[in-house]
Amino acid sequence: PAVSAGSHATKKTLADAHGDAQAHLDAIVARGDAMVQPYLTSVEGRGEISLVFFDGDHSHSIRKHPQLTPAGIVNGGEPRIDTTDEERRFARAVLDALPFAGEPLLYARVDLVRADDGGLALMELEVVEPSLFLAQGGAAARFAEAIAKRVR
């Protein structure tokens, strides 16, 4: 689906499995919009990396990786991960490209993955109601402080 959480209704199909893929797509489209995208093999390795920012500062990062099940793909967990300098620079460049003037966003989540050509690619930018993985090492306190700073 075009709007999903935790890989809900996501399915990996082979290029020659047109019948199964079309049936799955038809079922999703009967309920709403759908997105079809190429599968990047790097999600099976390092995974999709989510960098969470509070008030413009990098707070923490988590790794999402797929688990293939007979029913489709489900999110394989959300362990905290140390990001590389390259990943942090990439995420910062995404945020710096936003057309907002003035102070930074209260919160944002930049999801990225390694593309097949080896470069980093933006999977999605979450700035409205994202999961911020607040159970990760003091993240809830950092988010509360960012909110408190805004209301002072």
Side-chain angles (χ1 to χ4, degrees), residues 28 36 57 88 91 96 99-100 114 122 129 134 140:
I28 292 171
V36 177
D57 295 326
R88 287 188 302 279
D96 289 347
F100 300 110
R114 184 86 40 200
L122 178 66
E129 298 186 56
L134 295 176

Side-chain angles (χ1 to χ4, degrees), residues 81-136:
I81 190 169
D82 291 329
T83 50
T84 66
D85 290 341
E86 178 190 22
E87 290 165 338
R88 287 188 302 279
R89 280 192 307 270
F90 183 92
R92 172 60 52 207
V94 168
L95 295 176
D96 289 347
L98 294 175
F100 300 110
E103 62 186 282
L105 295 170
L106 174 61
Y107 60 85
R109 192 183 85 216
V110 180
D111 295 349
L112 55 89
V113 69
R114 184 86 40 200
D116 288 341
D117 68 2
L120 291 172
L122 178 66
M123 291 293 282
E124 62 184 317
L125 171 63
E126 292 280 2
V127 296
V128 179
E129 298 186 56
S131 174
L132 298 173
F133 311 105
L134 295 176
Q136 300 295 328

Side-chain angles (χ1 to χ4, degrees), residues 20-46:
D20 289 342
Q22 188 63 54
H24 185 70
L25 180 60
D26 290 344
I28 292 171
V29 170
R31 297 185 308 267
D33 293 332
M35 176 173 57
V36 177
Q37 66 188 62
Y39 186 79
L40 298 175
T41 55
S42 67
V43 300
E44 294 178 26
R46 181 147 171 88

